[in-house]
Amino acid sequence: MMNKKLIKNYLIKLTGLVLFYLFYSWILPDIGTQNTSTGGSDPLENVLLLGLTIASFIWVLPIIISGLESFKMFFTSPIFKRRWNKFKTLKRGYYAFIFVIIIFGLSFFSEFLINSKAIFVKYQGKIHFTLFSFESARAFGLKGYGIPNYRRMKEIYNVRNQERRERIANNQATEEDKKYLEWGDDWVLLPIYPYGPLESLLDELPCRPPHPPSWAESKWRQEFFDEGLYVLPKKMPSKQEIAEKYGRPQWQDLDQVDLYHRLALDGLLPLKEGVKKPGTFQHLLGTDDRGRDVFARMVYGFRTSVSFALVVTFLCYMIGISIGALLGFYGGKFDIIMQRIVEIWSAMPFLYTVMIFAAIMIPNFWMLVIILVLFKWMGMTYYIRGEFLREKSKDYVAAARAIGCTDGAIIFKHILPNALTPVISFAPFAVVANIGALVSLDFLGFGLPAPTPSWGELLGQGLGNLHKEWLILSPTVAMFLTLLLVSFIGEAIREAFDPKQYSRLR
Amino acid sequence: MYSYFIRRFLLIIPTFIGITFLCFTVTRFVPGGPVEQAVLRFQQAAAQHGEGGAGSSTSTDRQGQISEEMMQRLKEIYGFDKPFYIAYVHWLWRVLHLDLGVSDTYSRPVWDLIKEKFPISIWFGLTGFVLSYSICIPLGVWKAVKHGSTFDTASSFMVFVAYSVPGWTAGVILLMLLGGGSYWDVFPLGGIQSTAITSESYLAGYLLEGSKAINLPAEVRKEYPDLKDEEIINSNHPAFAKIPADKREKLQKGSHSDLSSFGRFLDKARHMVLPVFCYVLGMFASMTVLMKNSLMENLGQDYVRTAFAKGLSEKTVIFKHALRNSLIPIATGLGHMLSLILAGSYLIEKVFNIKGFGLLGYESLIARDYPVTLGILVIGSLLKLFGNIFSDILYCVIDPRIRFS
């Protein structure tokens, strides 16, 4: 019995070491490179950091595991099942929950659906998986050393295949063509929406960015007219011409500029040679001011925002729960002093302090998470502390103590599973707040670094281009829908888990 | 009770020191501070000078370097020559003497800047605050009274919508729709007052009478040597009465100051509509729900049952007994009023380009103007700290049952 426990203990510590190694090799260098001035060129600092991280993983991981176990107890308890069934009956929240889960899950596969890179390329009989690898254009028989433009590659391959077929039909086949009989045609498998969030489309689209959505015909015509891309009639058309050739007799009295403008907007003028209009569904939401596809940026921005909010909420709750639990369980001097510290910490003007930190540090994703967690973890401590204070005096805790449970066991196995209700019922609203915080910071320009697709950054562009509706409406509508769905979930969860019974007298 | 508040007041000191020390330290240790910027400016100037002159690359390299003494001098100017904790103590000492330093970008005392911008933010925020109270309280009460009715469900949906649209994002949409871009031109794009009023403007009717300064009698003009000949003075000018009546005419164009007082009011009001709407929207959802839940809770209490039992009408019970008690959590929110307003102002003032407190803070961060940044932090955190205590005091005053210890 004892042995089993010991072995388990060591196993946990071992996993901690392995996880630590992964963490250190993946995430830490990422943080380190951003901040070169304080980065670990100093060996002592490196060693200290290493030691701290090892220690935290070896000692903190068991606690996290016990914490997860108490979450498991919470989720498997019959009370939870009953509440969950109640939640299922609240249709609005339940369907919103399923919808958000599906969309969020799908967004992790957005590289396969919305990307400028091809998924597979077949070239000279070999199939390459190109989605995550960097392949030079030269490797696929094109010019240049950079990342190939896969959309153009597809067109070129089609032309080449066609030419090859003609050569073979005319018996002019070369050596290579004969090989291709064996290999089969080259092809490129593009994602459904073949535009990436970071790729500038300036050399593929006419006119200046931001480009309107490709289905907004009249806006495109206006853009073409503004850029002078229409072939205007050499001389002012006569009244008869206006009536017969263009079929607009009511415009016979307009002056030249006005007439040409209207003709252009009605699509009656031909475009100049070489100007290609994008297809109707090519750019669903247009492009931003650097010519990047807005729809792709919205989808990737959704993933970033929601993951960011979830990570921040999770970390805040982890810290809040542990500190609140300790305060509520031990009480006394420790409680009083820590409460004062929490109070001091929460007296900071949140947004401005975060703005100062973010403006000065220019953070990446993880640093921004840390900054937000640093100033936001306090909220949960009060609730958990209260729950612990209440649960501590109940009989089952006394019973657990009587049979000789350690403090740790009482906290994790007995009280915590009973104290998690506020965590569950506040989490969706915390997610809403964190999404809002990220969008605000991005809007102000203190959020994620520049090329990261984000809603707030797009909205900031929209503020500078007030007549480009797609730049404003896309992020606001996306944010509105996301926040609305999440708050539907939150409302339903609150009703299922923490119902307020109002008694009314008439 | 009193000892509780004394302790709270004493706690302000470590809190204030903690907040400012943290932010002060951050401004110290991160590259890109004022000294680096000054060096950069110097190097750019030197490089341009070099290009304009001989143009040889070797000479620009030499010019671009900054000597050791010069660096020392720069550090002294910006106070970076001492270790950060000593510099912090110096800074704190000056703050205690109400000296927040001098802004690097505006070259003016920070305190003057804040004094100038603060009323603008308060004016906008307070209007929004009062308006949202006067909308949300009746709505919340009505929702609680009609709990479960169609009205309740419909307005709940409205609350959801308001909760999902942060006030400032709605501001961007409203600017797009009503700011005269591609749709309606109902409201101005931002700012707090019109800069130029032309004869086509709807405000042209409210322009005052005016005249060129040259029309003043010579002896009066001597009293106002600053006036140029072609300068137009309006009827608010003290010297205007001396202008002969036939030289006066109704102004065709002018600025905000050339409007009659009603015109000025109209102009300012029109600039306030959209930002104030955003403030209201930002507070609408939480305030309505808070009011509703608070009243619902009170309606389930025993004293309400008693009041009903002794035969009082529903109206009396709700409005005289329950409502008074359920206003307590709303009223204590008054304590946080100022810090709430300031927190909203960073985004809303950026959207509407209102040159107030929030925009000053934002711009100081962009320009790395640390004296202003820290000054705004000082004012902001002090307001928040005193607001917390103020709302506790309000709690005690309104609800004598509550005892802090």
Side-chain angles (χ1 to χ4, degrees):
Chain A
M1 187 69 199
M2 201 62 211
N3 257 337
K4 221 173 171 184
K5 222 171 179 181
L6 255 175
I7 289 169
K8 195 185 163 195
N9 212 344
Y10 278 114
L11 265 180
I12 289 176
K13 281 186 181 156
L14 208 70
T15 2
L17 268 176
V18 172
L19 275 178
F20 156 74
Y21 176 73
L22 295 178
F23 178 77
Y24 195 76
S25 54
W26 284 352
I27 296 168
L28 269 195
D30 211 34
I31 299 173
T33 46
Q34 276 293 317
N35 205 343
T36 41
S37 66
T38 55
S41 56
D42 188 4
L44 183 73
E45 205 175 302
N46 262 343
V47 169
L48 270 177
L49 200 67
L50 198 85
L52 261 175
T53 337
I54 292 181
S56 68
F57 264 88
I58 289 184
W59 297 114
V60 172
L61 197 79
I63 297 179
I64 293 179
I65 288 176
S66 328
L68 287 180
E69 269 170 16
S70 52
F71 264 93
K72 200 176 131 201
M73 282 171 80
F74 175 73
F75 284 126
T76 49
S77 69
I79 304 177
F80 181 84
K81 284 215 179 90
R82 208 165 58 230
R83 288 164 170 176
W84 183 249
N85 287 333
K86 171 91 192 293
F87 175 68
K88 273 188 184 169
T89 62
L90 302 164
K91 292 289 177 229
R92 193 171 64 181
Y94 184 59
Y95 290 136
F97 179 72
I98 290 178
F99 186 71
V100 169
I101 294 280
I102 289 175
I103 292 285
F104 187 54
L106 267 184
S107 77
F108 278 94
F109 297 97
S110 39
E111 268 88 0
F112 292 90
L113 303 172
I114 299 166
N115 205 336
S116 56
K117 281 182 153 188
I119 305 174
F120 290 107
V121 173
K122 188 183 177 197
Y123 179 63
Q124 297 195 336
K126 266 189 228 144
I127 294 181
H128 303 256
F129 180 63
T130 47
L131 193 57
F132 296 116
S133 59
F134 174 84
E135 304 274 356
S136 162
R138 187 149 292 217
F140 296 123
L142 303 177
K143 280 177 195 151
Y145 289 100
I147 299 177
N149 182 336
Y150 287 102
R151 294 181 298 273
R152 198 166 291 162
M153 194 158 115
K154 189 175 185 176
E155 284 166 21
I156 292 173
Y157 279 5
N158 282 344
V159 172
R160 284 188 190 171
N161 289 339
Q162 192 61 38
E163 284 171 2
R164 192 179 306 122
R165 256 177 248 128
E166 275 167 21
R167 280 203 298 273
I168 291 171
N170 299 342
N171 280 330
Q172 296 167 332
T174 59
E175 279 302 296
E176 207 189 38
D177 292 345
K178 279 170 194 157
K179 279 187 197 163
Y180 263 101
L181 282 176
E182 210 173 291
W183 289 337
D185 281 349
D186 292 340
W187 46 255
V188 179
L189 179 65
L190 289 171
I192 299 170
Y193 194 84
Y195 297 94
L198 302 179
E199 165 205 42
S200 179
L201 301 161
L202 290 180
D203 41 359
E204 281 181 39
L205 291 170
C207 307
R208 268 168 299 181
H211 300 98
S214 44
W215 43 265
E217 200 74 14
S218 60
K219 283 197 186 299
W220 271 102
R221 286 178 186 158
Q222 179 68 45
E223 293 280 321
F224 283 136
F225 184 77
D226 290 346
E227 296 275 323
L229 293 180
Y230 278 112
V231 184
L232 302 178
K234 288 249 162 46
K235 60 181 198 310
M236 176 81 180
S238 66
K239 288 191 176 184
Q240 197 191 354
E241 259 182 332
I242 294 174
E244 283 170 12
K245 193 173 159 199
Y246 299 114
R248 296 285 189 279
Q250 65 273 30
W251 291 350
Q252 284 175 349
D253 302 324
L254 294 174
D255 66 57
Q256 198 170 3
V257 178
D258 208 14
L259 177 75
Y260 285 178
H261 188 197
R262 289 197 187 193
L263 285 176
L265 286 191
D266 270 17
L268 295 173
L269 296 178
L271 280 170
K272 275 184 186 164
E273 216 173 303
V275 178
K276 219 173 78 197
K277 211 170 190 174
T280 315
F281 298 110
Q282 198 172 336
H283 300 288
L284 288 179
L285 299 174
T287 69
D288 72 354
D289 66 358
R290 288 173 193 78
R292 300 171 296 199
D293 187 87
V294 170
F295 179 70
R297 286 182 79 75
M298 299 299 303
V299 173
Y300 282 84
F302 171 79
R303 184 169 75 181
T304 323
S305 311
V306 177
S307 338
F308 179 85
L310 286 176
V311 170
V312 170
T313 314
F314 176 74
L315 290 179
C316 280
Y317 277 15
M318 224 166 73
I319 298 175
I321 290 172
S322 7
I323 290 184
L326 291 178
L327 293 186
F329 188 76
Y330 290 108
K333 277 253 155 47
F334 173 69
D335 183 25
I336 292 173
I337 294 171
M338 269 311 277
Q339 255 200 303
R340 287 290 91 79
I341 292 175
V342 170
E343 211 169 281
I344 289 177
W345 207 247
S346 42
M348 297 223 179
F350 170 74
L351 184 62
Y352 197 60
T353 331
V354 170
M355 270 163 71
I356 292 179
F357 272 71
I360 289 171
M361 288 177 163
I362 309 172
N364 59 8
F365 183 88
W366 286 104
M367 271 167 75
L368 201 64
V369 166
I370 291 172
I371 291 174
L372 243 77
V373 169
L374 200 63
F375 296 106
K376 237 184 175 173
W377 58 268
M378 297 80 68
M380 208 14 81
T381 47
Y382 299 110
Y383 295 105
I384 292 290
R385 179 177 167 273
E387 292 280 321
F388 263 72
L389 278 179
R390 216 181 53 221
E391 297 289 323
K392 193 169 71 166
S393 56
K394 288 196 176 160
D395 286 344
Y396 71 90
V397 178
R401 213 183 284 275
I403 60 168
C405 284
T406 56
D407 282 359
I410 294 178
I411 292 180
F412 285 115
K413 286 223 169 98
H414 296 272
I415 304 184
L416 197 55
N418 287 310
L420 286 175
T421 307
V423 176
I424 298 296
S425 55
F426 282 111
F429 298 101
V431 169
V432 169
N434 287 331
I435 292 178
L438 179 67
V439 175
S440 314
L441 283 175
D442 277 339
F443 172 75
L444 292 171
F446 300 136
L448 299 169
T452 320
S454 91
W455 294 346
E457 191 247 335
L458 210 56
L459 200 53
Q461 288 183 18
L463 185 65
N465 296 296
L466 280 174
H467 50 283
K468 314 271 184 201
E469 296 88 348
W470 60 97
L471 289 183
I472 299 171
L473 287 179
S474 330
T476 36
V477 169
M479 189 159 97
F480 168 67
L481 289 179
T482 313
L483 297 190
L484 191 71
L485 287 176
V486 178
S487 49
F488 279 161
I489 300 172
E491 192 58 28
I493 286 184
R494 177 178 285 175
E495 206 160 317
F497 283 77
D498 200 6
K500 278 206 180 78
Q501 294 296 338
Y502 296 115
S503 57
R504 286 296 304 275
L505 283 160
R506 284 276 152 193
Chain B
M1 189 72 177
Y2 287 110
S3 72
Y4 172 79
F5 282 111
I6 290 171
R7 253 189 298 138
R8 286 295 302 266
F9 273 110
L10 286 180
L11 206 62
I12 283 184
I13 299 167
T15 315
F16 179 75
I17 291 178
I19 296 170
T20 48
F21 185 70
L22 194 70
C23 293
F24 188 88
T25 317
V26 171
T27 59
R28 278 304 176 117
F29 282 104
V30 175
V35 176
E36 276 94 338
Q37 285 195 345
V39 170
L40 203 68
R41 273 201 298 274
F42 176 80
Q43 280 171 343
Q44 274 169 355
Q48 270 169 8
H49 187 78
E51 274 166 28
S56 71
S57 61
T58 46
S59 72
T60 48
D61 281 352
R62 183 147 303 184
Q63 273 172 339
Q65 275 168 7
I66 282 183
S67 68
E68 202 59 30
E69 318 140 51
M70 215 161 140
M71 197 70 191
Q72 203 54 41
R73 183 88 188 86
L74 268 177
K75 281 187 175 175
E76 251 171 62
I77 292 174
Y78 292 106
F80 274 63
D81 53 337
K82 300 176 206 72
F84 72 98
Y85 43 90
I86 295 178
Y88 174 73
V89 172
H90 280 261
W91 178 82
L92 192 65
W93 186 248
R94 277 191 289 123
V95 170
L96 288 178
H97 291 78
L98 299 180
D99 173 17
L100 292 173
V102 178
S103 158
D104 294 340
T105 40
Y106 299 91
S107 304
R108 285 176 57 196
V110 176
W111 184 238
D112 288 0
L113 279 173
I114 291 178
K115 254 198 304 202
E116 185 185 303
K117 312 278 186 190
F118 199 62
I120 299 173
S121 298
I122 293 300
W123 180 234
F124 277 83
L126 209 60
T127 320
F129 207 77
V130 171
L131 217 62
S132 59
Y133 261 61
S134 47
I135 292 172
C136 296
I137 292 177
L139 185 65
V141 171
W142 198 240
K143 274 168 71 70
V145 172
K146 297 269 171 200
H147 180 64
S149 68
T150 333
F151 171 77
D152 185 36
T153 341
S155 58
S156 284
F157 195 76
M158 236 168 71
V159 168
F160 266 121
V161 171
Y163 185 72
S164 313
V165 184
W168 57 274
T169 29
V172 184
I173 292 191
L174 287 173
L175 272 184
M176 177 189 96
L177 289 177
L178 306 173
S182 5
Y183 299 95
W184 301 280
D185 186 8
V186 187
F187 294 110
L189 273 176
I192 54 171
Q193 57 195 29
S194 304
T195 43
I197 294 159
T198 55
S199 48
E200 286 107 52
S201 160
Y202 80 107
L203 285 166
Y206 301 105
L207 282 168
L208 292 169
E209 288 191 314
S211 175
K212 284 179 182 159
I214 201 163
N215 294 332
L216 278 172
E219 64 270 25
V220 187
R221 273 216 71 189
K222 271 182 214 140
E223 292 172 36
Y224 302 98
D226 293 344
L227 285 178
K228 289 183 196 75
D229 282 354
E230 290 301 307
E231 206 170 319
I232 289 173
I233 59 174
N234 60 34
S235 55
N236 287 336
H237 199 272
F240 187 75
K242 310 275 167 48
I243 291 181
D246 57 318
K247 295 271 174 65
R248 299 177 188 178
E249 56 187 11
K250 195 147 182 346
L251 290 172
Q252 288 305 308
K253 56 180 186 188
S255 65
H256 179 77
S257 58
D258 293 325
L259 290 170
S260 67
S261 45
F262 181 70
R264 259 179 296 180
F265 167 76
L266 211 64
D267 188 28
K268 280 200 169 165
R270 216 172 72 112
H271 280 84
M272 278 179 69
V273 174
L274 292 183
V276 167
F277 177 81
C278 292
Y279 274 107
V280 174
L281 189 68
M283 288 181 255
F284 176 78
S286 53
M287 193 99 82
T288 312
V289 170
L290 181 67
M291 184 65 227
K292 186 197 166 185
N293 287 349
S294 166
L295 185 56
M296 293 289 289
E297 218 154 90
N298 272 299
L299 285 176
Q301 298 278 319
D302 284 343
Y303 72 90
V304 173
R305 187 195 307 250
T306 317
F308 273 118
K310 70 178 184 186
L312 292 180
S313 70
E314 191 178 347
K315 210 170 148 190
T316 327
V317 175
I318 290 175
F319 290 100
K320 216 168 168 192
H321 293 250
L323 182 59
R324 277 193 181 183
N325 282 314
S326 39
L327 279 176
I328 292 170
I330 302 271
T332 49
L334 285 172
H336 299 293
M337 185 176 65
L338 283 181
S339 41
L340 259 180
I341 287 175
L342 292 186
S345 70
Y346 296 110
L347 290 156
I348 293 178
E349 286 181 8
K350 169 83 168 50
V351 170
F352 291 101
N353 194 24
I354 299 165
K355 300 233 176 336
F357 192 75
L359 200 62
L360 181 71
Y362 168 77
E363 277 170 356
S364 79
L365 276 173
I366 296 283
R368 299 279 157 106
D369 188 352
Y370 292 144
V372 178
T373 305
L374 291 171
I376 285 194
L377 183 76
V378 166
I379 304 290
S381 50
L382 280 182
L383 282 176
K384 186 158 187 193
L385 289 170
F386 280 103
N388 283 348
I389 298 179
F390 182 56
S391 74
D392 276 1
I393 295 178
L394 269 179
Y395 231 129
C396 290
V397 172
I398 299 173
D399 190 356
R401 288 172 302 182
I402 290 170
R403 285 274 168 276
F404 292 108
S405 58

